[in-house]
Amino acid sequence: MTSLLETAFALFAGLIMTRVFKILGFKFPDVTAFLIAGVCVGPYVLGKYNLGFSTPEDLANVGILSNIALGFIAFDIGNEFSIGRLKTMGKAATFIGIFQAVITTLLVDLVLVSLSLYLGSDILPLPVAITLGAIAAATAPAATLMVVRQFKAKGPVTDLLLPIVALDDAAGLVIFAVSIGLAQALIGGSVNVISIIINPLLEIICSLALGAFMGFVLTEIEKLFFSNTNRLSMTIAFILMTIALSSQKFELGSVKIGFSALLVCMMLGTTFCNLSEYSHDIMKRSEKWSAPLYAVFFVLSGARLELSVFQYVPIVIIGAVYIITRCLGKYIGALWSSSIMNCSSNVKKYLGITLFPQAGVALGMVVNSQVLGSEMAGLIRNIILFSVLIYELVGPMLTRISLTKAGEIEPALPEHVHRARFKKVA
């Protein structure tokens, strides 16, 4: 199959899986259906029979689609940082986002370091335990946004959730840089201040600056057009340009200047929504055409999940400990911080559960863990792949349940009632 045909087949499989779920009476979010469809068309199932992605190389050939989709998802989340919204919940979102990320890292570090001392460094090296603690801080903005959009969730938990997910990942990047520096120090015996402090701070500052600049330019250029259709096209062009620019890296001696595509595109969306008078209409239009792109993103994410990690018992055990401890950290951190900020009871009870999903940002951190050496990086990769498989399949479902219990998702209509209403409107 060509890459184009494989991508079309992936989208088809994802959409069909959503119908299968509904016919069987499963109340899973579409995200879960897309991920399971991805597993089915991946190298471990249908891919074996050339009915999908047969090899990891096939997936790499369409990897640009995942990067583009993640950029658009980050842009959408950036629109949650309007000045009006920040005035009402900016302080709470900032505090909760950073606090729960730090608590999660500390708890996972404590448990995994203890496990490392118990099992021995041959099974779980100390640098690996520390690095996993940092990766635990990251969440999956894509899955969260998809659930919120699909079920049109509205309320205090939802209003805090999307900004917190964005801030959570920004905090996670700093925590990871510090932790990976400490892990390297344990291996080499010295601490590199530049890699621990300067490089991560530069990445965040440069990412925010690039996103703000692109957002300002986009706002000014769109004033030249009189059609919102053309403005939407220009917005799409700028998002693609921003994604491309954020992949650039520069080195000034030992100082490395890079960008986080997630932060850059979030800042692009934030600047655009606060400066452009057309942003509201353009965002409503973009939701309609970007839906297939998001579906492909999650199907491809499912196809990349490596089922082979289940054959390694130590990986499964360490992965299970990591998953449980991280979930506890997210829940406790969100509970404590929302209590400190005097949030509503629903926010205290359900916010932490909605932060369980983990995927893209964590996998990006896994790539950067290569500095610890191939053996340790391979161990980290397998543990995170195992956890991502569980988180991505279960996390969206838990997010939906939590938002429903919080009263922010209306109960779904029975299929026959929905069809009757649709026919009446038509």
Side-chain angles (χ1 to χ4, degrees), residues 38 55 57 127 171 228 250 265 270 284 315 338 344 363 381 387 394:
T55 64
E57 288 72 26
N228 276 348
F250 308 94
C265 291
T270 299
K284 288 181 67 175
I315 297 296
S338 58
S344 66
L363 293 176
R381 179 174 179 272
S387 64
V394 178

Side-chain angles (χ1 to χ4, degrees), residues 151-159 346 403-404 406-410:
F151 297 102
K152 298 179 175 59
K154 292 181 180 179
V157 179
T158 304
D159 289 341
N346 279 343
L403 293 177
T404 301
E408 301 187 11
I409 293 178
E410 294 183 3

Side-chain angles (χ1 to χ4, degrees), residues 28-251:
F28 294 154
D30 286 350
V31 175
T32 305
F34 294 147
L35 288 165
I36 292 176
V39 172
C40 292
V41 301
Y44 294 96
V45 189
L46 294 179
K48 288 183 176 181
Y49 309 100
N50 294 320
L51 293 174
F53 299 96
S54 303
T55 64
E57 288 72 26
D58 292 338
L59 288 165
N61 291 336
V62 294
I64 188 172
L65 291 176
S66 295
N67 295 335
I68 292 172
L70 196 57
F72 277 90
I73 289 167
F75 178 79
D76 286 347
I77 293 177
N79 275 269
E80 299 297 319
F81 290 92
S82 64
I83 292 177
R85 185 166 292 184
L86 289 176
K87 286 181 179 178
T88 58
M89 66 188 66
K91 185 177 180 181
T94 302
F95 180 77
I96 295 171
I98 296 174
F99 186 90
Q100 57 81 27
V102 173
I103 288 296
T104 301
T105 294
L106 292 176
L107 183 59
V108 174
D109 274 344
L110 176 63
V111 172
L112 290 186
V113 167
S114 300
L115 189 63
S116 172
L117 297 175
Y118 177 76
L119 296 177
S121 58
D122 292 340
I123 298 176
L124 180 60
L126 203 56
V128 171
I130 292 173
T131 304
L132 287 172
I135 296 175
T139 53
T144 303
L145 179 64
M146 280 288 288
V147 172
V148 169
R149 274 193 175 180
Q150 180 188 347
F151 297 102
K152 298 179 175 59
K154 292 181 180 179
V157 179
T158 304
D159 289 341
L160 278 170
L161 175 57
L162 293 178
I164 285 173
V165 167
L167 290 166
D168 178 88
D169 287 329
L173 291 173
V174 176
I175 294 171
F176 177 78
V178 173
S179 296
I180 201 76
L182 292 175
Q184 285 181 279
L186 289 173
I187 297 172
S190 61
V191 177
N192 188 334
V193 177
I194 292 178
S195 64
I196 293 178
I197 299 175
I198 296 178
N199 286 340
L201 287 178
L202 275 177
E203 179 174 331
I204 292 175
I205 293 170
C206 291
S207 297
L208 296 178
L210 176 59
F213 173 75
M214 295 296 287
F216 173 77
V217 175
L218 171 61
T219 301
E220 293 302 310
I221 288 180
E222 287 199 342
K223 294 177 181 178
L224 303 175
F225 297 90
F226 300 97
S227 164
N228 276 348
T229 300
N230 287 337
R231 292 188 185 110
L232 174 60
S233 299
M234 181 58 68
T235 302
I236 294 169
F238 258 75
I239 295 173
L240 294 174
M241 280 193 288
T242 302
I243 294 170
L245 290 173
S246 64
S247 66
Q248 304 302 308
K249 296 184 183 298
F250 308 94
E251 291 189 15

Side-chain angles (χ1 to χ4, degrees), residues 398-416:
L398 293 176
T399 298
R400 175 186 177 275
I401 292 173
S402 297
L403 293 177
T404 301
K405 287 185 175 294
E408 301 187 11
I409 293 178
E410 294 183 3
L413 293 172
E415 184 79 6
H416 69 279

Side-chain angles (χ1 to χ4, degrees), residues 21 27-33 35-36 39 140 143-144 147 151 298 305 310 323 326-327 352-359 386-402:
F21 275 20
K27 296 182 179 180
F28 294 154
D30 286 350
V31 175
T32 305
L35 288 165
I36 292 176
V39 172
T144 303
V147 172
F151 297 102
F298 284 105
L305 296 177
F310 284 106
I323 290 170
R326 178 180 175 273
C327 288
I353 299 174
T354 63
L355 299 174
F356 288 174
Q358 187 178 49
F386 170 78
S387 64
V388 164
L389 176 61
I390 305 301
Y391 281 131
E392 284 296 89
L393 294 178
V394 178
M397 179 63 145
L398 293 176
T399 298
R400 175 186 177 275
I401 292 173
S402 297

